[in-house]
Amino acid sequence: MNDMTVKLPEDLKERLKLRADAHGFSSPEDYVVDLVARDLKFTDAESRLRALDAAIAEGRADVAAGRTIDMDDVFDALEAKLAGMGAR
């Protein structure tokens, strides 16, 4: 693991020590590493949710614009394709 030096005010250092102890970490450094890792995971999840929201909005816009396919037609096409695969 690479080292990084961060200068903190004394009161923040004390608070980190107390939080690390309260949450069972062996050191304030381990606590900070965990905080950063959880923040990055949360940021990744937020990004995936934004992409999902955009895809849903795109789908809703397609429906509003009449760009839809009847599900019976989709199933008929799939059944025909599967029937053709079985004939090989």
Side-chain angles (χ1 to χ4, degrees), residues 14-28 31:
E14 283 303 313
R15 290 182 68 192
L16 281 174
K17 286 179 190 174
L18 291 172
R19 299 291 291 171
D21 289 343
H23 290 282
F25 288 92
S26 60
S27 69
Y31 178 61

Side-chain angles (χ1 to χ4, degrees), residues 13 16-17 19 22 24 31 45 48 50-52 55 58 63 72 86:
K13 283 184 189 179
L16 281 174
K17 286 179 190 174
R19 299 291 291 171
Y31 178 61
R48 287 191 302 272
R50 280 193 300 275
L52 179 59
E58 183 180 341
V63 170
D72 288 333

Side-chain angles (χ1 to χ4, degrees), residues 37-56:
R38 283 191 283 140
D39 179 68
L40 292 173
K41 187 182 284 188
F42 180 75
T43 301
D44 290 344
E46 282 182 321
S47 178
R48 287 191 302 272
L49 285 175
R50 280 193 300 275
L52 179 59
D53 286 342
I56 290 170

Side-chain angles (χ1 to χ4, degrees), residues 52-74:
L52 179 59
D53 286 342
I56 290 170
E58 183 180 341
R60 295 181 91 180
D62 284 343
V63 170
R67 293 185 296 267
T68 61
I69 300 172
D70 185 271
M71 287 305 298
D72 288 333
D73 294 340
V74 172

